């Protein structure tokens, strides 16, 4: 594995390793946050906008249990029972190590992928002060489905890995409207050179509009920035529409997306559907239970 492919892993361990040293200081800051009128409340109610991560983190000691489904192509109608026959499932958990740091692990049916994630807050939006909240997010995917066979005789563990590095920048403009932009870098150690890229740069954006006390409408989109002009990809820029429903200890999200996989590397680079009705469109949900 090249050293640059190790950087996301080393960065995650660096963040975890520094948690203890910074915990006391950050706990003092976080403990005082509710008393500081200049700290803006969370721009998003869920830790995800739809597929993209938001700038919200669990509080220290909170555990989020996650169950997500993306059903098959809605366009096939009764032939696949409106997607129920071809559903993908993701199950995982997120733990708040500190008020500024959370760690997550999940497993999903798409390529039997295990995903490790670290999310860490760098700054808070302040009332009449610093204008945005800034959060970093890193993931490492492990494709456990690939097998060493005649097609891939030289398969090694590092070939199973894919990484994302994301910088999430959000602003809550008022009680109803929040906006986020996110530079995103995706790197895959194994990819199809005819259909995909080894490294992809994207600019993501997401928005939330509050409809009622417990409902909000969400929208997100990510544009790939470094596609060569001569490159004809079968994949499309991910576009997702969602609805947040708050029900006590649950955050329930309904989503319509042109991406069926739910791990970040695939969401941003392997969206097969289109919203013009010519290709697949997928319905699903995210459900978080907070403990």
């Amino acid at each position: 594995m090249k050293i640059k492919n190790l950087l996301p892993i080393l960065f995650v361990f660096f963040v975890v390793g520094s948690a203890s040293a910074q915990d006391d200081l950050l706990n003092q800051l976080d403990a005082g946050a509710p008393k500081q009128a200049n700290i803006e409340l969370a721009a998003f109610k869920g830790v995800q906008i739809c597929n993209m991560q938001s700038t919200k983190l669990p509080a220290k000691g909170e555990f989020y249990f996650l169950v997500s489904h993306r059903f098959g192509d809605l366009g096939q109608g009764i032939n696949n029972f409106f997607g129920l026959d071809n559903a993908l499932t993701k199950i995982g958990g997120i733990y708040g190590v500190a008020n500024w740091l959370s760690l997550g692990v999940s497993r999903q049916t798409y390529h039997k992928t295990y995903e490790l994630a670290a999310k860490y807050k760098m700054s808070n939006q302040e009332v009449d002060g610093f204008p945005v909240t800034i959060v970093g997010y890193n993931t490492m995917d492990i494709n456990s489905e690939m097998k060493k066979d005649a097609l891939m005789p030289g398969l090694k563990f590092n070939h199973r890995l894919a990484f994302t590095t994301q910088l999430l920048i959000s602003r809550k403009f008022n009680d109803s409207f929040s906006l986020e932009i996110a530079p995103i870098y995706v790197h895959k150690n194994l990819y199809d050179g005819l259909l995909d890229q080894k490294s992809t740069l994207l600019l993501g954006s997401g928005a939330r509009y509050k409809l009622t006390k417990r409902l909000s409408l969400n929208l997100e989109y990510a544009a790939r920035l470094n596609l060569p002009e001569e490159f004809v990809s079968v994949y499309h820029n991910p576009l997702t529409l969602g609805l947040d429903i708050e029900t006590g200890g649950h955050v329930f999200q309904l989503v319509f997306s042109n991406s069926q996989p739910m791990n970040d590397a695939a969401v941003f680079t392997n969206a097969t559907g289109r919203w013009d009705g010519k290709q697949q469109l997928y319905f699903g949900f995210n459900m978080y239970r907070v403990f």
Side-chain angles (χ1 to χ4, degrees):
M1 183 188 302
K2 295 182 180 180
I3 186 65
K4 67 179 182 180
N5 297 342
L6 284 170
L7 291 179
I9 304 176
L10 295 175
F11 189 76
V12 169
F13 283 113
F14 171 79
V15 171
V16 176
S18 64
S20 298
Q22 299 185 36
D23 196 47
D24 291 340
L25 175 60
L26 288 168
N27 279 344
Q28 293 174 14
L29 295 175
D30 288 326
K35 302 177 183 179
Q36 297 175 358
N38 64 322
I39 301 299
E40 185 61 83
L41 297 178
F44 297 91
K45 289 297 184 180
V47 295
Q48 288 178 265
I49 301 175
C50 298
N51 286 319
M52 286 177 55
Q53 290 290 312
S54 74
T55 51
K56 178 180 174 64
L57 280 77
K60 181 181 178 180
E62 283 186 340
F63 178 77
Y64 281 45
F65 177 68
L66 162 68
V67 178
S68 295
H69 284 281
R70 296 295 184 271
F71 302 106
D73 180 16
L74 287 172
Q76 294 187 31
I78 197 64
N79 289 331
N80 70 344
F81 207 69
F82 299 95
L84 292 177
D85 292 344
N86 309 113
L88 297 181
T89 303
K90 177 179 179 179
I91 297 177
I94 306 170
Y95 181 70
V97 179
N99 287 314
W100 64 277
L101 170 67
S102 67
L103 299 177
V105 60
S106 63
R107 198 270 191 187
Q108 64 175 284
T109 51
Y110 178 74
H111 293 325
K112 300 181 181 179
T113 300
Y114 292 87
E115 185 174 67
L116 307 177
K119 195 173 188 180
Y120 39 95
K121 182 174 290 186
M122 301 176 182
S123 70
N124 284 301
Q125 179 182 344
E126 300 174 354
V127 178
D128 298 323
F130 194 70
V132 295
T133 297
I134 302 176
V135 170
Y137 187 69
N138 289 80
T139 68
M140 181 179 74
D141 291 354
I142 305 172
N143 183 331
S144 67
E145 185 179 58
M146 290 190 297
K147 296 181 179 179
K148 189 172 183 178
D149 55 21
L151 295 177
M152 292 188 290
L155 182 68
K156 299 179 181 179
F157 176 75
N158 67 293
H159 294 143
R160 301 180 182 275
L161 305 181
F163 308 91
T164 74
T165 300
Q166 306 174 43
L167 186 66
L168 314 174
I169 306 169
S170 73
R171 177 171 174 80
K172 184 177 181 180
F173 288 88
N174 51 51
D175 288 340
S176 297
F177 181 70
S178 299
L179 183 67
E180 177 179 296
I181 60 171
I184 301 164
Y185 174 72
V186 180
H187 179 86
K188 300 177 181 180
N189 284 352
L190 188 64
Y191 64 101
D192 187 336
L194 297 177
L195 304 175
D196 207 351
Q197 290 182 284
K198 183 176 184 179
S199 298
T200 305
L201 294 173
L202 306 98
L203 181 61
S205 59
R208 171 182 179 265
Y209 185 78
K210 187 176 180 180
L211 300 175
T212 69
K213 182 178 180 180
R214 295 189 178 276
L215 295 177
S216 64
L217 186 66
N218 300 342
L219 181 68
E220 65 182 35
Y221 176 76
R224 295 170 294 173
L225 303 179
N226 65 327
L227 284 179
E229 292 183 4
E230 68 280 4
F231 191 75
V232 180
S233 176
V234 298
Y235 303 117
H236 309 286
N237 293 336
L239 173 63
T240 306
L241 179 68
L243 181 70
D244 277 6
I245 305 172
E246 298 177 53
T247 58
H250 293 79
V251 177
F252 191 70
Q253 298 178 310
L254 302 177
V255 300
F256 290 89
S257 180
N258 64 337
S259 174
Q260 188 182 24
M262 290 162 281
N263 58 308
D264 287 58
V267 164
F268 294 125
T269 62
N270 299 122
T272 56
R274 290 171 59 176
W275 277 81
D276 58 8
K278 296 180 180 180
Q279 287 182 274
Q280 299 96 328
L281 193 62
Y282 307 99
F283 168 71
F285 65 83
N286 305 321
M287 185 181 71
Y288 289 92
R289 175 63 183 176
V290 183
F291 295 94

